[in-house]
Amino acid sequence: MRILVATVGTGRNRKDIAGAIAYSARKHQADVLLCLTSPKTEQETLPEVRALLADAGVTIESHPVDDVDDVQTLFVEYRRILADVAARHPAADLRADFTSGTKPMSAALFAAAVAQRVREVSYVVGERDETGRALPDHPLHIRSLPPDLVTADEDLRLARRLFNAGDYHAAAELAWRYARRPTGLPEGPLKRLAAAIRRLGEAYWKWERFDWRGAAHDLSGAEHWLPPDEAPWADRLARQREFLRRCVGDSRSDWPAERVADLAANAQRRIDQGQHDDAVARCYRAVEYLAQWRLATAHGIENTGKVPVDRLPEGLRRELGVKPGVPEIKLGLQNAFRLLEALGDPLGAEFRSRYAGPGQPWDGARGPLANLLGIRNQSWLAHGQAPAPEESARDLLTQLDELAQRIIPDFAALRTTAEHVRWPLPEAPAAAEGE
């Protein structure tokens, strides 16, 4: 269903305005014409419109407003009318025509139509006499403007701000209004920008949720969909796509080091957003994964949930109190690092110095890393009731980065690759002098 909402004025002789409105209704192929009238035009112009469209199969409705010179009152009323029509007919193609009526009526309908995001705003033009009125019996033409052209620039600026704040899903949803087909913007730079924000936002949103495979897919072919100003990102996004593929791994038994870098970068973004409990949880998992990765890749122990007892040095078995005849045991974070140390792995020794303190026993650890990992256990997202402080989240991330750099040679480069791009923001228009 196509619904045309039109303001109705008086014109020279009522018939001229009625002719323009009828012409607009036919050109728009309207099924419903909702006429916004004044008491005068309700009585004098609307009957002429009805007569001209009597054989057009158009349902004509009207809504008169008494004060046609108060633009604020008119805007509020027209906005209410458009919202009501949209609510009653959510699938309708809603359009507005502000050809006639008082200047406040036309201005109010234009503003209300843009606010409602109707499909199209239009007006009828023709040859004019010396008074500015259209001449009768001369050809008429429709001029139209999609409201998206009015709102796109500022909305896409907002979408980039949301994106840069890490709210990728909201940025993608806002940009989608302007990128989608067949509605949205006409083809051009703004539509290309909207499509790029949408695609990159969707990719990063998946990445944030550890959907590495989906994110890698969405980042493909960036050189074809990036706007010209962001074309240099293509190489960086290609590196990120390869990074994400490596995070996926080749099999369930694969242990990519990239996952440590990804968790660390994700934790940094959570800190930037003030989500310190989320950051601490990611750091904790990254430290745990670091031990699992090292045991799997350097010592062939691929499941810390089922570690064969015969892989534990005798001294560690005694320390852990392993009972005779037990074939396998489960190792938590601390004990996984204890096993690394017992196997002579430098990561185990490094962890112990940070967790227990140099030369200190594992039991009753009082090192800085023990305190920081303990904050995770006391947080709402684990076992406690204490929100994680920002300083603790930052300190734990530093500990993670330093641990990883000791054992993963290219960790700093991986961390850089895992950092998300940020859209440059154009400066807002300067206020006029005296504002």
Side-chain angles (χ1 to χ4, degrees):
M1 176 188 292
R2 183 167 293 174
I3 302 174
L4 179 65
V5 181
T7 47
V8 180
T10 55
R12 177 187 288 105
N13 57 16
R14 316 308 181 255
K15 293 182 182 295
D16 53 345
I17 291 300
I21 294 172
Y23 174 83
S24 180
R26 291 179 185 275
K27 282 294 184 180
H28 282 291
Q29 299 180 332
D31 298 296
V32 177
L33 173 64
L34 175 55
C35 294
L36 305 178
T37 61
S38 67
K40 183 178 181 66
T41 59
E42 178 81 12
Q43 297 297 320
E44 299 179 9
T45 310
L46 185 59
E48 299 289 345
V49 175
R50 293 186 184 278
L52 290 172
L53 292 174
D55 61 347
V58 180
T59 300
I60 300 175
E61 302 174 3
S62 68
H63 187 96
V65 176
D66 290 335
D67 189 349
V68 295
D69 293 314
D70 185 336
V71 69
Q72 181 171 321
T73 299
L74 289 167
F75 169 77
V76 171
E77 182 64 9
Y78 291 172
R79 183 74 171 90
R80 184 193 64 77
I81 292 170
L82 291 175
D84 179 66
V85 171
R88 287 188 289 113
H89 306 284
D93 178 351
L94 183 57
R95 304 182 179 208
D97 185 299
F98 62 97
T99 299
S100 69
T102 63
K103 288 183 174 64
M105 289 172 70
S106 295
L109 179 57
F110 182 87
V114 170
Q116 183 61 39
R117 305 290 182 90
V118 303
R119 175 71 176 275
E120 187 177 283
V121 178
S122 66
Y123 57 98
V124 176
V125 297
E127 293 187 40
R128 299 178 182 276
D129 61 18
E130 63 278 3
T131 69
R133 287 191 172 94
L135 291 169
D137 302 322
H138 283 68
L140 298 175
H141 306 281
I142 294 266
R143 297 288 184 266
S144 63
L145 170 74
D148 283 348
L149 279 177
V150 179
T151 58
D153 186 67
E154 188 57 36
D155 275 357
L156 292 179
R157 188 194 303 267
L158 174 59
R160 282 171 284 180
R161 288 197 190 99
L162 290 169
F163 184 102
N164 291 352
D167 200 344
Y168 301 125
H169 184 63
E173 287 298 298
L174 181 55
W176 178 234
R177 172 176 183 83
Y178 301 102
R180 63 187 177 181
R181 294 180 175 85
T183 58
L185 292 174
E187 297 299 328
L190 281 176
K191 187 158 193 169
R192 185 178 177 91
L193 173 63
I197 296 172
R198 164 74 173 184
R199 182 152 183 172
L200 193 52
E202 285 292 305
Y204 278 5
W205 173 237
K206 292 175 182 177
W207 190 346
E208 292 289 60
R209 292 174 290 138
F210 307 106
D211 180 6
W212 298 309
R213 193 184 306 277
H217 175 270
D218 288 352
L219 290 179
S220 62
E223 66 275 11
H224 301 299
W225 50 262
L226 281 172
D229 287 346
E230 282 69 44
W233 288 357
D235 289 342
R236 182 173 176 183
L237 296 183
R239 290 193 299 273
Q240 290 187 339
R241 186 184 183 202
E242 180 58 29
F243 174 92
L244 289 164
R245 285 175 169 172
R246 292 181 67 84
C247 283
V248 172
D250 297 326
S251 68
R252 296 191 67 177
S253 61
D254 202 4
W255 291 88
E258 283 80 1
R259 292 176 181 174
V260 181
D262 188 52
L263 281 163
N266 195 307
Q268 180 63 66
R269 292 191 293 274
R270 303 290 75 74
I271 291 172
D272 293 342
Q273 291 183 318
Q275 299 173 5
H276 305 129
D277 287 271
D278 288 328
V280 166
R282 283 156 173 76
C283 289
Y284 188 99
R285 176 64 185 119
V287 171
E288 179 184 51
Y289 181 89
L290 190 60
Q292 294 170 331
W293 165 81
R294 188 63 176 173
L295 286 169
T297 58
H299 304 283
I301 300 173
E302 294 191 349
N303 187 350
T304 55
K306 294 181 178 181
V307 179
V309 169
D310 60 11
R311 296 300 310 273
L312 274 62
E314 183 62 34
L316 183 59
R317 293 186 211 177
R318 289 195 302 270
E319 291 178 17
L320 298 181
V322 179
K323 296 179 180 179
V326 175
E328 58 190 25
I329 65 169
K330 179 179 180 179
L331 298 180
L333 182 150
Q334 180 195 138
N335 288 337
F337 280 103
R338 291 180 74 167
L339 174 55
L340 284 170
E341 184 191 40
L343 293 172
D345 193 293
L347 181 60
E350 179 65 25
F351 180 86
R352 179 174 181 169
S353 70
R354 295 168 179 270
Y355 186 83
Q360 298 300 311
W362 283 97
D363 295 336
R366 292 293 183 268
L369 190 50
N371 295 332
L372 292 169
L373 293 173
I375 287 174
R376 173 264 180 186
N377 292 330
Q378 297 305 315
S379 75
W380 281 102
L381 298 184
H383 315 296
Q385 302 181 39
E390 177 181 354
E391 183 180 3
S392 298
R394 292 188 182 278
D395 289 346
L396 181 53
L397 179 57
T398 298
Q399 290 281 340
L400 166 62
D401 283 336
E402 291 175 356
L403 263 180
Q405 288 170 17
R406 295 293 180 92
I407 207 70
I408 303 174
D410 58 348
F411 184 76
L414 293 176
R415 278 279 269 118
T416 299
T417 301
E419 293 175 359
H420 292 177
V421 300
R422 291 290 178 258
W423 289 95
L425 291 175
E427 293 184 6
E433 185 176 350
E435 289 186 1

